Amino acid sequence: MSEVSETTPQPPHAPHLGGPAPHPGPPHPGPPLLATPVPGPPAPQLTGPGFPQPVAPAATPVQQPVPVPHPPAADQPAAPQPQHLTPQPPAPQPPTPQAAAPQPATEAPRTLQYRFDGPEGAPVLVIGPSLGTTWHMWDRQIPELTQHWRVFRYDLPGHGGAPAHAAPSVAELADRLIATLDGLGVQRFGYAGCSIGGAVGADLALRHPHRVASLALVASSPRFGTADEFRQRGVIVRTNGLEPMARTAPERWFTPGFAAAQPAIVEWAVQMVRTTDPGCYIAACEALAAFDIRDHLGRIGVPTLVLVGAEDQVTGPAEARTLVAGIPDARLALVPGASHLAPVEQPAAVCDLLLTHFSTAWQDAPTAAPAAPLVPGPATPAAPFAPLAEIAPAPDAPEAVGPQRESRHERGVKVRREVLGDAHVDVVNASTDPFTEDFQELVTRYEWGEAWSRDGLDRRTRSCVTLTALVASGHLEGLAAHTRAALRNGLTPAEIKEVLLQTAVYCGIPAAGAAFTIAQSVIQEETTPPA
């Protein structure tokens, strides 16, 4: 049985995702066929207790044409079919979902677009997508998973036709997910998520451990790259739209061989990004820029599978090993022949791993009360990692303390990095010596911990004021850094131009002319899409 939470039609389903399905089945009628099926992956490498050794090799590739672009695949069993999939005519048409539980518009900002698949009485397994994708990235796993669980999938805001109510943080996404599940009466569930979907799962395990029975983190990380990288991505999208992200998605998500062999899947992936709301995409980038749970991994107390494509260049095996080293009850699974979207590229291997994990590592509801809010602590020490990892016992949980007022210095460091970027602040810190350190402390506490941290103006407005003040005072040496800051704070190049035109009237043509030269160079550098 399937339910869909929104009346908004979804984009076309994922094409057949290549490789062997868990079980062969009757052909699926529909659109054109891919001539060459993609061979299945080598056996995934599992480490840690709780997994049978050795792992059986992946199924033999099904030697038959592969249909695209509507799942379930030709070699899938007749599983519980989503109600919103209509029989396909000879020319493929987008499916029309049926509305089972539409959400009122007034509730949309606090909930997420979702769908259910599987028997109503089964335990609930929640599955989360990655940035720029929809719930259809998991289509190939659904027939097998729904034989054991009632699968709940959700879309990120502005993805897949979901309402474009941007979420500014991973915690906010997790809160909306909890609110959605609360409204459906779902209290205890397993959780699997890819990339930002994995970040949501880790946040749930930290702040709502009594709700999560078991956890799978797919292509995830305790910190996704650097804050500068994701804020830069937001600047590019704000200036150029999503086309640069769509164009580069295949090389981030798939191995070159898979992308060359499955052009229909590549085009489907590109279209998912193109149809995402830009504002929600930018907000998700900001959420990932601020996400960092490296100091809290030891507090994740549920059985955790860390699954990663062996060729993932975005959140690869190194990030996965950091998660396994820090989470007390964690196991690593490397999927050969897969990059960032391993569930799409190697669906059978990922499905087998999820089935094994959630079948053997599902905790009963604990009797302990929910954990206290996160308390900053010392960083988790980096432990050496071997293919057969020995899981260390869980560290003692830190004592709960009440909320503490953030010091002016701590607040200043945080805001300074958010506005100017890590690279700029690192250069300043590296050049600080005993003669200048007191001055830098003054700047951190009063410029960033006080003026920039006040609630009276938003950061966009403060950037406008700062640019104007720098031009008026002739202190153009700081204009480049604050032009970059203005872009990060949400000003577009057109708005920066208007600010500088205004300064030409009130501060003088020569000063504004010099400012235009500096700002133009910075804007070209910051907003040029990746090649």
Side-chain angles (χ1 to χ4, degrees), residues 6 101-114 163 165 172 176 179-180 183-184:
E6 296 286 345
Q103 298 176 3
T106 55
E107 296 181 9
R110 289 293 304 159
T111 54
L112 297 173
Q113 176 170 281
Y114 70 92
H165 300 289
E172 171 65 18
R176 294 187 193 183
T180 306
L184 297 166

Side-chain angles (χ1 to χ4, degrees), residues 337-426:
S339 186
H340 192 57
L341 286 195
V344 175
E345 194 163 5
Q346 298 293 359
V350 171
C351 190
D352 289 345
L353 291 167
L354 294 180
L355 285 168
T356 301
H357 173 68
F358 286 110
S359 297
T360 59
W362 191 285
Q363 286 186 339
D364 293 331
T367 56
L374 289 179
V375 179
T380 303
F385 185 86
L388 294 175
E390 184 173 324
I391 305 302
D396 295 333
E399 295 183 5
V401 298
Q404 297 180 353
R405 182 181 178 86
E406 193 174 30
S407 75
R408 188 182 299 164
H409 175 82
E410 291 171 337
R411 186 169 63 246
V413 169
K414 177 182 177 182
V415 173
R416 192 178 192 180
R417 287 187 175 277
E418 289 175 353
V419 173
L420 294 179
D422 289 333
H424 177 90
V425 176
D426 288 344

Side-chain angles (χ1 to χ4, degrees), residues 93-426:
Q93 300 292 328
T96 302
Q98 297 177 0
Q103 298 176 3
T106 55
E107 296 181 9
R110 289 293 304 159
T111 54
L112 297 173
Q113 176 170 281
Y114 70 92
R115 65 170 291 155
F116 270 119
D117 294 282
E120 293 188 7
V124 173
L125 176 61
V126 177
I127 301 184
S130 67
L131 174 61
T133 73
T134 73
W135 62 42
H136 290 301
M137 68 165 285
W138 293 100
D139 277 348
R140 284 294 300 280
Q141 285 77 34
I142 296 304
E144 279 290 306
L145 295 181
T146 51
Q147 295 185 31
H148 307 273
W149 297 282
R150 182 156 170 78
V151 178
F152 173 102
R153 286 183 283 174
Y154 66 90
D155 275 330
L156 299 170
H159 291 59
H165 300 289
S169 67
V170 169
E172 171 65 18
L173 287 171
D175 288 344
R176 294 187 193 183
L177 177 57
I178 286 292
T180 306
L181 294 170
D182 285 346
L184 297 166
V186 176
Q187 292 301 310
R188 186 86 169 153
F189 51 87
Y191 186 95
C194 182
S195 195
I196 191 172
V200 171
D203 183 84
L204 291 173
L206 287 167
R207 296 195 297 126
H208 302 279
H210 56 297
R211 304 289 292 270
V212 182
S214 188
L215 180 65
L217 305 178
V218 180
S220 195
S221 176
R223 185 190 186 195
F224 290 80
T226 68
D228 282 356
E229 291 171 6
F230 280 97
R231 293 195 173 101
Q232 173 71 9
R233 190 183 295 188
V235 168
I236 290 173
V237 172
R238 190 177 291 114
T239 306
N240 303 279
L242 279 165
E243 183 57 31
M245 298 300 109
R247 188 175 65 250
T248 58
E251 65 189 55
R252 295 195 307 271
W253 289 354
F254 306 124
T255 59
F258 180 87
Q262 299 284 12
I265 297 175
V266 170
E267 180 59 24
W268 162 78
V270 168
Q271 289 302 322
M272 275 196 299
V273 180
R274 284 178 177 152
T275 56
T276 299
D277 176 77
C280 290
Y281 188 98
I282 293 169
C285 289
E286 290 290 335
L288 288 173
F291 182 77
D292 188 351
I293 59 168
R294 289 173 295 176
D295 292 350
H296 308 295
L297 293 177
R299 295 185 58 233
I300 296 179
V302 298
T304 302
L305 172 68
V306 180
L307 189 156
V308 63
E311 299 181 47
D312 190 345
Q313 302 298 314
V314 180
T315 51
E319 287 81 0
R321 291 181 175 114
T322 300
L323 288 168
V324 171
I327 299 174
D329 186 7
R331 298 159 181 84
L332 175 66
L334 291 174
V335 181
S339 186
H340 192 57
L341 286 195
V344 175
E345 194 163 5
Q346 298 293 359
V350 171
C351 190
D352 289 345
L353 291 167
L354 294 180
L355 285 168
T356 301
H357 173 68
F358 286 110
S359 297
T360 59
W362 191 285
Q363 286 186 339
D364 293 331
T367 56
L374 289 179
V375 179
T380 303
F385 185 86
L388 294 175
E390 184 173 324
I391 305 302
D396 295 333
E399 295 183 5
V401 298
Q404 297 180 353
R405 182 181 178 86
E406 193 174 30
S407 75
R408 188 182 299 164
H409 175 82
E410 291 171 337
R411 186 169 63 246
V413 169
K414 177 182 177 182
V415 173
R416 192 178 192 180
R417 287 187 175 277
E418 289 175 353
V419 173
L420 294 179
D422 289 333
H424 177 90
V425 176
D426 288 344

Side-chain angles (χ1 to χ4, degrees), residues 76-90:
Q76 292 283 12
Q81 296 297 318
Q83 293 181 357
H84 77 294
L85 294 178
T86 57
Q88 299 299 315

